[in-house]
mmCIF file of all heavy atoms in Angstrom:
data_model
loop_
_atom_site.group_PDB
_atom_site.id
_atom_site.type_symbol
_atom_site.label_atom_id
_atom_site.label_comp_id
_atom_site.label_asym_id
_atom_site.label_seq_id
_atom_site.Cartn_x
_atom_site.Cartn_y
_atom_site.Cartn_z
ATOM 1 N N TYR X 1 0.849 -1.184 0.000
ATOM 2 C CA TYR X 1 0.000 0.000 0.000
ATOM 3 C C TYR X 1 0.891 1.243 0.000
ATOM 4 O O TYR X 1 1.879 1.311 0.722
ATOM 5 C CB TYR X 1 -0.941 -0.038 1.207
ATOM 6 C CG TYR X 1 -1.813 -1.270 1.160
ATOM 7 C CD1 TYR X 1 -1.486 -2.412 1.886
ATOM 8 C CD2 TYR X 1 -2.925 -1.313 0.325
ATOM 9 C CE1 TYR X 1 -2.260 -3.555 1.800
ATOM 10 C CE2 TYR X 1 -3.715 -2.465 0.237
ATOM 11 C CZ TYR X 1 -3.367 -3.581 0.975
ATOM 12 O OH TYR X 1 -4.123 -4.723 0.876
ATOM 13 N N TYR X 2 0.545 2.210 -0.841
ATOM 14 C CA TYR X 2 1.451 3.321 -1.086
ATOM 15 C C TYR X 2 0.773 4.662 -0.861
ATOM 16 O O TYR X 2 -0.451 4.764 -0.748
ATOM 17 C CB TYR X 2 2.015 3.240 -2.509
ATOM 18 C CG TYR X 2 0.999 3.460 -3.619
ATOM 19 C CD1 TYR X 2 0.770 4.722 -4.130
ATOM 20 C CD2 TYR X 2 0.284 2.390 -4.167
ATOM 21 C CE1 TYR X 2 -0.151 4.934 -5.158
ATOM 22 C CE2 TYR X 2 -0.636 2.587 -5.192
ATOM 23 C CZ TYR X 2 -0.846 3.870 -5.680
ATOM 24 O OH TYR X 2 -1.757 4.074 -6.680
ATOM 25 N N SER X 3 1.610 5.699 -0.812
ATOM 26 C CA SER X 3 1.137 7.083 -0.741
ATOM 27 C C SER X 3 2.069 7.924 -1.606
ATOM 28 O O SER X 3 2.756 7.390 -2.478
ATOM 29 C CB SER X 3 1.098 7.573 0.708
ATOM 30 O OG SER X 3 2.376 7.443 1.310
ATOM 31 N N ASP X 4 2.120 9.229 -1.390
ATOM 32 C CA ASP X 4 2.914 10.114 -2.237
ATOM 33 C C ASP X 4 4.409 9.816 -2.143
ATOM 34 O O ASP X 4 4.922 9.421 -1.088
ATOM 35 C CB ASP X 4 2.692 11.571 -1.816
ATOM 36 C CG ASP X 4 1.342 12.102 -2.259
ATOM 37 O OD1 ASP X 4 0.872 11.729 -3.341
ATOM 38 O OD2 ASP X 4 0.757 12.903 -1.507
ATOM 39 N N GLY X 5 5.096 10.030 -3.273
ATOM 40 C CA GLY X 5 6.548 9.926 -3.285
ATOM 41 C C GLY X 5 7.041 8.783 -4.139
ATOM 42 O O GLY X 5 6.302 8.188 -4.931
ATOM 43 N N LEU X 6 8.320 8.472 -3.997
ATOM 44 C CA LEU X 6 8.917 7.357 -4.713
ATOM 45 C C LEU X 6 8.420 6.060 -4.095
ATOM 46 O O LEU X 6 8.682 5.781 -2.923
ATOM 47 C CB LEU X 6 10.439 7.436 -4.627
ATOM 48 C CG LEU X 6 11.221 6.312 -5.310
ATOM 49 C CD1 LEU X 6 11.027 6.331 -6.819
ATOM 50 C CD2 LEU X 6 12.712 6.409 -4.972
ATOM 51 N N ILE X 7 7.685 5.268 -4.877
ATOM 52 C CA ILE X 7 7.111 4.041 -4.324
ATOM 53 C C ILE X 7 7.801 2.783 -4.837
ATOM 54 O O ILE X 7 7.572 1.695 -4.305
ATOM 55 C CB ILE X 7 5.591 3.951 -4.598
ATOM 56 C CG1 ILE X 7 5.291 3.878 -6.104
ATOM 57 C CG2 ILE X 7 4.867 5.116 -3.958
ATOM 58 C CD1 ILE X 7 3.822 3.597 -6.419
ATOM 59 N N TYR X 8 8.660 2.940 -5.879
ATOM 60 C CA TYR X 8 9.294 1.745 -6.437
ATOM 61 C C TYR X 8 10.577 2.139 -7.158
ATOM 62 O O TYR X 8 10.597 3.122 -7.908
ATOM 63 C CB TYR X 8 8.354 1.046 -7.421
ATOM 64 C CG TYR X 8 8.869 -0.277 -7.944
ATOM 65 C CD1 TYR X 8 8.740 -1.429 -7.193
ATOM 66 C CD2 TYR X 8 9.488 -0.365 -9.191
ATOM 67 C CE1 TYR X 8 9.210 -2.655 -7.667
ATOM 68 C CE2 TYR X 8 9.948 -1.579 -9.675
ATOM 69 C CZ TYR X 8 9.812 -2.721 -8.903
ATOM 70 O OH TYR X 8 10.277 -3.912 -9.372
ATOM 71 N N ASP X 9 11.636 1.355 -6.927
ATOM 72 C CA ASP X 9 12.899 1.546 -7.644
ATOM 73 C C ASP X 9 13.675 0.238 -7.565
ATOM 74 O O ASP X 9 14.188 -0.118 -6.510
ATOM 75 C CB ASP X 9 13.707 2.687 -7.032
ATOM 76 C CG ASP X 9 14.977 3.002 -7.811
ATOM 77 O OD1 ASP X 9 15.291 2.270 -8.772
ATOM 78 O OD2 ASP X 9 15.661 3.979 -7.446
ATOM 79 N N ASP X 10 13.724 -0.489 -8.689
ATOM 80 C CA ASP X 10 14.465 -1.752 -8.708
ATOM 81 C C ASP X 10 15.759 -1.634 -9.505
ATOM 82 O O ASP X 10 16.387 -2.650 -9.823
ATOM 83 C CB ASP X 10 13.597 -2.881 -9.267
ATOM 84 C CG ASP X 10 13.252 -2.696 -10.739
ATOM 85 O OD1 ASP X 10 13.586 -1.630 -11.304
ATOM 86 O OD2 ASP X 10 12.631 -3.608 -11.330
ATOM 87 N N GLY X 11 16.156 -0.417 -9.818
ATOM 88 C CA GLY X 11 17.357 -0.197 -10.608
ATOM 89 C C GLY X 11 17.094 -0.116 -12.099
ATOM 90 O O GLY X 11 17.908 0.451 -12.839
ATOM 91 N N ALA X 12 15.993 -0.699 -12.549
ATOM 92 C CA ALA X 12 15.618 -0.636 -13.965
ATOM 93 C C ALA X 12 14.492 0.358 -14.192
ATOM 94 O O ALA X 12 14.433 1.014 -15.231
ATOM 95 C CB ALA X 12 15.202 -2.012 -14.473
ATOM 96 N N LEU X 13 13.601 0.485 -13.216
ATOM 97 C CA LEU X 13 12.424 1.347 -13.367
ATOM 98 C C LEU X 13 12.077 1.971 -12.026
ATOM 99 O O LEU X 13 12.170 1.323 -10.977
ATOM 100 C CB LEU X 13 11.254 0.533 -13.910
ATOM 101 C CG LEU X 13 9.940 1.275 -14.160
ATOM 102 C CD1 LEU X 13 9.359 0.884 -15.510
ATOM 103 C CD2 LEU X 13 8.934 0.954 -13.049
ATOM 104 N N ARG X 14 11.722 3.251 -12.074
ATOM 105 C CA ARG X 14 11.316 3.995 -10.884
ATOM 106 C C ARG X 14 9.892 4.512 -11.075
ATOM 107 O O ARG X 14 9.529 4.939 -12.183
ATOM 108 C CB ARG X 14 12.242 5.196 -10.642
ATOM 109 C CG ARG X 14 13.644 4.843 -10.267
ATOM 110 C CD ARG X 14 14.614 5.986 -10.516
ATOM 111 N NE ARG X 14 14.213 7.235 -9.872
ATOM 112 C CZ ARG X 14 14.629 7.636 -8.674
ATOM 113 N NH1 ARG X 14 15.462 6.860 -7.984
ATOM 114 N NH2 ARG X 14 14.237 8.786 -8.182
ATOM 115 N N VAL X 15 9.107 4.492 -10.015
ATOM 116 C CA VAL X 15 7.743 5.008 -10.065
ATOM 117 C C VAL X 15 7.531 5.982 -8.906
ATOM 118 O O VAL X 15 7.737 5.628 -7.737
ATOM 119 C CB VAL X 15 6.700 3.877 -9.989
ATOM 120 C CG1 VAL X 15 5.284 4.458 -10.004
ATOM 121 C CG2 VAL X 15 6.885 2.891 -11.139
ATOM 122 N N HIS X 16 7.144 7.202 -9.259
ATOM 123 C CA HIS X 16 6.742 8.213 -8.282
ATOM 124 C C HIS X 16 5.220 8.325 -8.329
ATOM 125 O O HIS X 16 4.624 8.360 -9.412
ATOM 126 C CB HIS X 16 7.350 9.570 -8.609
ATOM 127 C CG HIS X 16 8.841 9.601 -8.562
ATOM 128 N ND1 HIS X 16 9.553 10.082 -7.485
ATOM 129 C CD2 HIS X 16 9.768 9.199 -9.475
ATOM 130 C CE1 HIS X 16 10.838 9.987 -7.724
ATOM 131 N NE2 HIS X 16 11.003 9.454 -8.924
ATOM 132 N N ALA X 17 4.583 8.393 -7.175
ATOM 133 C CA ALA X 17 3.126 8.545 -7.085
ATOM 134 C C ALA X 17 2.779 9.931 -6.567
ATOM 135 O O ALA X 17 3.479 10.493 -5.711
ATOM 136 C CB ALA X 17 2.541 7.486 -6.163
ATOM 137 N N ARG X 18 1.687 10.479 -7.086
ATOM 138 C CA ARG X 18 1.188 11.786 -6.646
ATOM 139 C C ARG X 18 -0.325 11.707 -6.551
ATOM 140 O O ARG X 18 -1.014 11.358 -7.517
ATOM 141 C CB ARG X 18 1.601 12.871 -7.652
ATOM 142 C CG ARG X 18 0.989 14.236 -7.407
ATOM 143 C CD ARG X 18 1.600 14.951 -6.243
ATOM 144 N NE ARG X 18 0.991 16.271 -6.029
ATOM 145 C CZ ARG X 18 1.362 17.123 -5.077
ATOM 146 N NH1 ARG X 18 2.354 16.799 -4.267
ATOM 147 N NH2 ARG X 18 0.753 18.277 -4.951
ATOM 148 N N HIS X 19 -0.866 12.027 -5.379
ATOM 149 C CA HIS X 19 -2.312 11.918 -5.192
ATOM 150 C C HIS X 19 -3.051 12.932 -6.059
ATOM 151 O O HIS X 19 -2.503 13.958 -6.463
ATOM 152 C CB HIS X 19 -2.682 12.115 -3.725
ATOM 153 C CG HIS X 19 -2.516 13.528 -3.235
ATOM 154 N ND1 HIS X 19 -1.385 13.975 -2.587
ATOM 155 C CD2 HIS X 19 -3.349 14.614 -3.312
ATOM 156 C CE1 HIS X 19 -1.522 15.245 -2.278
ATOM 157 N NE2 HIS X 19 -2.698 15.664 -2.706
ATOM 158 N N ASN X 20 -4.314 12.630 -6.361
ATOM 159 C CA ASN X 20 -5.187 13.564 -7.061
ATOM 160 C C ASN X 20 -6.591 13.494 -6.465
ATOM 161 O O ASN X 20 -6.854 12.675 -5.577
ATOM 162 C CB ASN X 20 -5.193 13.292 -8.573
ATOM 163 C CG ASN X 20 -5.718 11.921 -8.923
ATOM 164 O OD1 ASN X 20 -6.848 11.574 -8.581
ATOM 165 N ND2 ASN X 20 -4.899 11.115 -9.599
ATOM 166 N N THR X 21 -7.478 14.336 -6.948
ATOM 167 C CA THR X 21 -8.797 14.490 -6.329
ATOM 168 C C THR X 21 -9.911 13.774 -7.087
ATOM 169 O O THR X 21 -11.078 14.121 -6.929
ATOM 170 C CB THR X 21 -9.154 15.987 -6.185
ATOM 171 O OG1 THR X 21 -9.172 16.588 -7.492
ATOM 172 C CG2 THR X 21 -8.149 16.701 -5.300
ATOM 173 N N HIS X 22 -9.545 12.787 -7.912
ATOM 174 C CA HIS X 22 -10.584 12.052 -8.643
ATOM 175 C C HIS X 22 -11.637 11.474 -7.700
ATOM 176 O O HIS X 22 -12.834 11.463 -8.030
ATOM 177 C CB HIS X 22 -9.942 10.939 -9.461
ATOM 178 C CG HIS X 22 -10.922 10.025 -10.108
ATOM 179 N ND1 HIS X 22 -11.870 10.463 -11.003
ATOM 180 C CD2 HIS X 22 -11.116 8.672 -9.999
ATOM 181 C CE1 HIS X 22 -12.604 9.442 -11.410
ATOM 182 N NE2 HIS X 22 -12.175 8.354 -10.809
ATOM 183 N N LEU X 23 -11.233 11.008 -6.545
ATOM 184 C CA LEU X 23 -12.167 10.442 -5.561
ATOM 185 C C LEU X 23 -12.452 11.426 -4.431
ATOM 186 O O LEU X 23 -12.926 11.027 -3.373
ATOM 187 C CB LEU X 23 -11.607 9.132 -5.003
ATOM 188 C CG LEU X 23 -11.442 8.014 -6.024
ATOM 189 C CD1 LEU X 23 -10.874 6.751 -5.371
ATOM 190 C CD2 LEU X 23 -12.771 7.688 -6.705
ATOM 191 N N GLY X 24 -12.185 12.696 -4.685
ATOM 192 C CA GLY X 24 -12.437 13.718 -3.682
ATOM 193 C C GLY X 24 -11.333 13.775 -2.639
ATOM 194 O O GLY X 24 -10.312 13.089 -2.733
ATOM 195 N N HIS X 25 -11.554 14.603 -1.636
ATOM 196 C CA HIS X 25 -10.594 14.739 -0.542
ATOM 197 C C HIS X 25 -10.940 13.731 0.556
ATOM 198 O O HIS X 25 -12.106 13.616 0.942
ATOM 199 C CB HIS X 25 -10.622 16.158 0.021
ATOM 200 C CG HIS X 25 -10.084 17.183 -0.926
ATOM 201 N ND1 HIS X 25 -8.767 17.599 -0.910
ATOM 202 C CD2 HIS X 25 -10.681 17.870 -1.939
ATOM 203 C CE1 HIS X 25 -8.580 18.498 -1.860
ATOM 204 N NE2 HIS X 25 -9.724 18.687 -2.499
ATOM 205 N N PRO X 26 -9.956 13.011 1.061
ATOM 206 C CA PRO X 26 -10.261 12.047 2.117
ATOM 207 C C PRO X 26 -10.639 12.739 3.422
ATOM 208 O O PRO X 26 -10.278 13.903 3.656
ATOM 209 C CB PRO X 26 -8.943 11.274 2.262
ATOM 210 C CG PRO X 26 -7.884 12.232 1.807
ATOM 211 C CD PRO X 26 -8.526 13.032 0.706
ATOM 212 N N ALA X 27 -11.348 12.026 4.255
ATOM 213 C CA ALA X 27 -11.663 12.534 5.584
ATOM 214 C C ALA X 27 -10.381 12.667 6.399
ATOM 215 O O ALA X 27 -9.379 11.992 6.102
ATOM 216 C CB ALA X 27 -12.646 11.585 6.269
ATOM 217 N N PRO X 28 -10.361 13.515 7.400
ATOM 218 C CA PRO X 28 -9.156 13.673 8.229
ATOM 219 C C PRO X 28 -8.655 12.322 8.753
ATOM 220 O O PRO X 28 -9.436 11.529 9.282
ATOM 221 C CB PRO X 28 -9.633 14.575 9.372
ATOM 222 C CG PRO X 28 -10.753 15.365 8.774
ATOM 223 C CD PRO X 28 -11.445 14.425 7.825
ATOM 224 N N GLY X 29 -7.369 12.088 8.537
ATOM 225 C CA GLY X 29 -6.767 10.841 8.994
ATOM 226 C C GLY X 29 -6.866 9.687 8.020
ATOM 227 O O GLY X 29 -6.241 8.647 8.219
ATOM 228 N N GLU X 30 -7.667 9.856 6.958
ATOM 229 C CA GLU X 30 -7.806 8.805 5.955
ATOM 230 C C GLU X 30 -6.809 9.024 4.819
ATOM 231 O O GLU X 30 -6.443 10.163 4.518
ATOM 232 C CB GLU X 30 -9.228 8.792 5.399
ATOM 233 C CG GLU X 30 -10.279 8.362 6.397
ATOM 234 C CD GLU X 30 -10.113 6.918 6.815
ATOM 235 O OE1 GLU X 30 -9.869 6.067 5.927
ATOM 236 O OE2 GLU X 30 -10.206 6.635 8.025
ATOM 237 N N PRO X 31 -6.370 7.960 4.151
ATOM 238 C CA PRO X 31 -5.390 8.122 3.069
ATOM 239 C C PRO X 31 -6.045 8.545 1.758
ATOM 240 O O PRO X 31 -7.252 8.369 1.563
ATOM 241 C CB PRO X 31 -4.808 6.710 2.929
ATOM 242 C CG PRO X 31 -5.935 5.809 3.333
ATOM 243 C CD PRO X 31 -6.661 6.542 4.439
ATOM 244 N N TRP X 32 -5.236 9.118 0.873
ATOM 245 C CA TRP X 32 -5.680 9.359 -0.500
ATOM 246 C C TRP X 32 -5.885 8.019 -1.196
ATOM 247 O O TRP X 32 -5.152 7.054 -0.951
ATOM 248 C CB TRP X 32 -4.652 10.189 -1.253
ATOM 249 C CG TRP X 32 -4.528 11.592 -0.768
ATOM 250 C CD1 TRP X 32 -3.651 12.062 0.168
ATOM 251 C CD2 TRP X 32 -5.317 12.708 -1.178
ATOM 252 N NE1 TRP X 32 -3.848 13.401 0.373
ATOM 253 C CE2 TRP X 32 -4.857 13.830 -0.452
ATOM 254 C CE3 TRP X 32 -6.348 12.874 -2.098
ATOM 255 C CZ2 TRP X 32 -5.409 15.103 -0.610
ATOM 256 C CZ3 TRP X 32 -6.894 14.138 -2.265
ATOM 257 C CH2 TRP X 32 -6.430 15.234 -1.530
ATOM 258 N N ARG X 33 -6.861 7.956 -2.099
ATOM 259 C CA ARG X 33 -7.191 6.696 -2.778
ATOM 260 C C ARG X 33 -6.923 6.727 -4.275
ATOM 261 O O ARG X 33 -6.955 5.677 -4.917
ATOM 262 C CB ARG X 33 -8.664 6.347 -2.544
ATOM 263 C CG ARG X 33 -9.023 6.062 -1.097
ATOM 264 C CD ARG X 33 -8.316 4.846 -0.555
ATOM 265 N NE ARG X 33 -8.822 4.447 0.759
ATOM 266 C CZ ARG X 33 -8.278 3.520 1.530
ATOM 267 N NH1 ARG X 33 -7.178 2.912 1.107
ATOM 268 N NH2 ARG X 33 -8.793 3.217 2.685
ATOM 269 N N ALA X 34 -6.665 7.905 -4.852
ATOM 270 C CA ALA X 34 -6.448 8.016 -6.295
ATOM 271 C C ALA X 34 -5.115 8.714 -6.549
ATOM 272 O O ALA X 34 -4.808 9.729 -5.908
ATOM 273 C CB ALA X 34 -7.583 8.785 -6.965
ATOM 274 N N PHE X 35 -4.339 8.166 -7.499
ATOM 275 C CA PHE X 35 -2.981 8.658 -7.745
ATOM 276 C C PHE X 35 -2.679 8.712 -9.238
ATOM 277 O O PHE X 35 -3.271 7.997 -10.046
ATOM 278 C CB PHE X 35 -1.954 7.753 -7.068
ATOM 279 C CG PHE X 35 -1.911 7.909 -5.572
ATOM 280 C CD1 PHE X 35 -2.845 7.261 -4.776
ATOM 281 C CD2 PHE X 35 -0.960 8.703 -4.971
ATOM 282 C CE1 PHE X 35 -2.823 7.410 -3.392
ATOM 283 C CE2 PHE X 35 -0.928 8.855 -3.588
ATOM 284 C CZ PHE X 35 -1.857 8.200 -2.802
ATOM 285 N N SER X 36 -1.733 9.576 -9.568
ATOM 286 C CA SER X 36 -1.095 9.608 -10.877
ATOM 287 C C SER X 36 0.349 9.150 -10.692
ATOM 288 O O SER X 36 0.892 9.200 -9.582
ATOM 289 C CB SER X 36 -1.135 11.021 -11.455
ATOM 290 O OG SER X 36 -2.455 11.525 -11.490
ATOM 291 N N PHE X 37 0.996 8.728 -11.786
ATOM 292 C CA PHE X 37 2.344 8.174 -11.699
ATOM 293 C C PHE X 37 3.300 8.875 -12.662
ATOM 294 O O PHE X 37 2.914 9.247 -13.777
ATOM 295 C CB PHE X 37 2.341 6.685 -12.054
ATOM 296 C CG PHE X 37 1.516 5.814 -11.163
ATOM 297 C CD1 PHE X 37 0.597 4.918 -11.709
ATOM 298 C CD2 PHE X 37 1.644 5.859 -9.788
ATOM 299 C CE1 PHE X 37 -0.157 4.087 -10.902
ATOM 300 C CE2 PHE X 37 0.888 5.040 -8.962
ATOM 301 C CZ PHE X 37 -0.012 4.155 -9.522
ATOM 302 N N ARG X 38 4.536 9.001 -12.248
ATOM 303 C CA ARG X 38 5.653 9.323 -13.138
ATOM 304 C C ARG X 38 6.556 8.100 -13.158
ATOM 305 O O ARG X 38 7.036 7.652 -12.105
ATOM 306 C CB ARG X 38 6.421 10.557 -12.677
ATOM 307 C CG ARG X 38 7.590 10.920 -13.621
ATOM 308 C CD ARG X 38 8.376 12.131 -13.110
ATOM 309 N NE ARG X 38 9.569 12.374 -13.910
ATOM 310 C CZ ARG X 38 9.682 13.313 -14.839
ATOM 311 N NH1 ARG X 38 8.661 14.100 -15.108
ATOM 312 N NH2 ARG X 38 10.815 13.485 -15.503
ATOM 313 N N ILE X 39 6.786 7.561 -14.348
ATOM 314 C CA ILE X 39 7.514 6.308 -14.541
ATOM 315 C C ILE X 39 8.808 6.618 -15.287
ATOM 316 O O ILE X 39 8.769 7.221 -16.367
ATOM 317 C CB ILE X 39 6.654 5.321 -15.355
ATOM 318 C CG1 ILE X 39 5.269 5.142 -14.707
ATOM 319 C CG2 ILE X 39 7.372 3.987 -15.518
ATOM 320 C CD1 ILE X 39 4.168 4.843 -15.701
ATOM 321 N N GLU X 40 9.946 6.210 -14.738
ATOM 322 C CA GLU X 40 11.239 6.538 -15.328
ATOM 323 C C GLU X 40 12.044 5.267 -15.579
ATOM 324 O O GLU X 40 12.151 4.407 -14.705
ATOM 325 C CB GLU X 40 12.022 7.471 -14.406
ATOM 326 C CG GLU X 40 11.314 8.791 -14.142
ATOM 327 C CD GLU X 40 11.979 9.614 -13.054
ATOM 328 O OE1 GLU X 40 12.806 9.046 -12.310
ATOM 329 O OE2 GLU X 40 11.680 10.813 -12.955
ATOM 330 N N ALA X 41 12.594 5.156 -16.800
ATOM 331 C CA ALA X 41 13.454 4.028 -17.166
ATOM 332 C C ALA X 41 14.248 4.401 -18.403
ATOM 333 O O ALA X 41 13.747 5.144 -19.267
ATOM 334 C CB ALA X 41 12.630 2.765 -17.431
ATOM 335 N N GLU X 42 15.455 3.888 -18.505
ATOM 336 C CA GLU X 42 16.299 4.098 -19.685
ATOM 337 C C GLU X 42 16.461 5.575 -20.024
ATOM 338 O O GLU X 42 16.554 5.965 -21.190
ATOM 339 C CB GLU X 42 15.739 3.341 -20.893
ATOM 340 C CG GLU X 42 15.630 1.836 -20.686
ATOM 341 C CD GLU X 42 15.102 1.123 -21.913
ATOM 342 O OE1 GLU X 42 15.446 1.518 -23.042
ATOM 343 O OE2 GLU X 42 14.335 0.147 -21.737
ATOM 344 N N GLY X 43 16.496 6.430 -19.001
ATOM 345 C CA GLY X 43 16.659 7.850 -19.225
ATOM 346 C C GLY X 43 15.432 8.556 -19.766
ATOM 347 O O GLY X 43 15.517 9.723 -20.168
ATOM 348 N N LYS X 44 14.293 7.883 -19.795
ATOM 349 C CA LYS X 44 13.041 8.442 -20.292
ATOM 350 C C LYS X 44 12.017 8.506 -19.166
ATOM 351 O O LYS X 44 12.159 7.835 -18.142
ATOM 352 C CB LYS X 44 12.495 7.618 -21.451
ATOM 353 C CG LYS X 44 13.445 7.481 -22.636
ATOM 354 C CD LYS X 44 13.669 8.802 -23.336
ATOM 355 C CE LYS X 44 14.536 8.625 -24.576
ATOM 356 N NZ LYS X 44 14.741 9.915 -25.299
ATOM 357 N N ALA X 45 10.971 9.302 -19.380
ATOM 358 C CA ALA X 45 9.925 9.449 -18.369
ATOM 359 C C ALA X 45 8.551 9.442 -19.021
ATOM 360 O O ALA X 45 8.322 10.125 -20.020
ATOM 361 C CB ALA X 45 10.112 10.737 -17.574
ATOM 362 N N VAL X 46 7.643 8.672 -18.439
ATOM 363 C CA VAL X 46 6.240 8.618 -18.848
ATOM 364 C C VAL X 46 5.398 9.057 -17.663
ATOM 365 O O VAL X 46 5.598 8.579 -16.542
ATOM 366 C CB VAL X 46 5.833 7.196 -19.278
ATOM 367 C CG1 VAL X 46 4.333 7.126 -19.566
ATOM 368 C CG2 VAL X 46 6.632 6.744 -20.492
#
């Protein structure tokens, strides 16, 4: 289970997650449920 920031790096591919408001704002103390990703590998980014 993940939240904002670098969530994966195995040396070949890195994934950064950033929350968004597709599912609205969570209640106080609850986690974000919807995220966007930045994916990096081979010197490229998606």
Side-chain angles (χ1 to χ4, degrees):
Y1 300 98
Y2 67 91
S3 57
D4 285 325
L6 179 65
I7 63 172
Y8 186 81
D9 185 355
D10 66 354
L13 181 135
R14 293 160 54 94
V15 178
H16 297 261
R18 172 74 180 181
H19 71 265
N20 62 58
T21 60
H22 173 59
L23 296 180
H25 291 266
E30 292 294 316
W32 292 93
R33 295 296 189 189
F35 287 81
S36 305
F37 299 130
R38 181 182 173 102
I39 307 149
E40 300 171 345
E42 301 181 37
K44 302 293 184 179
V46 174

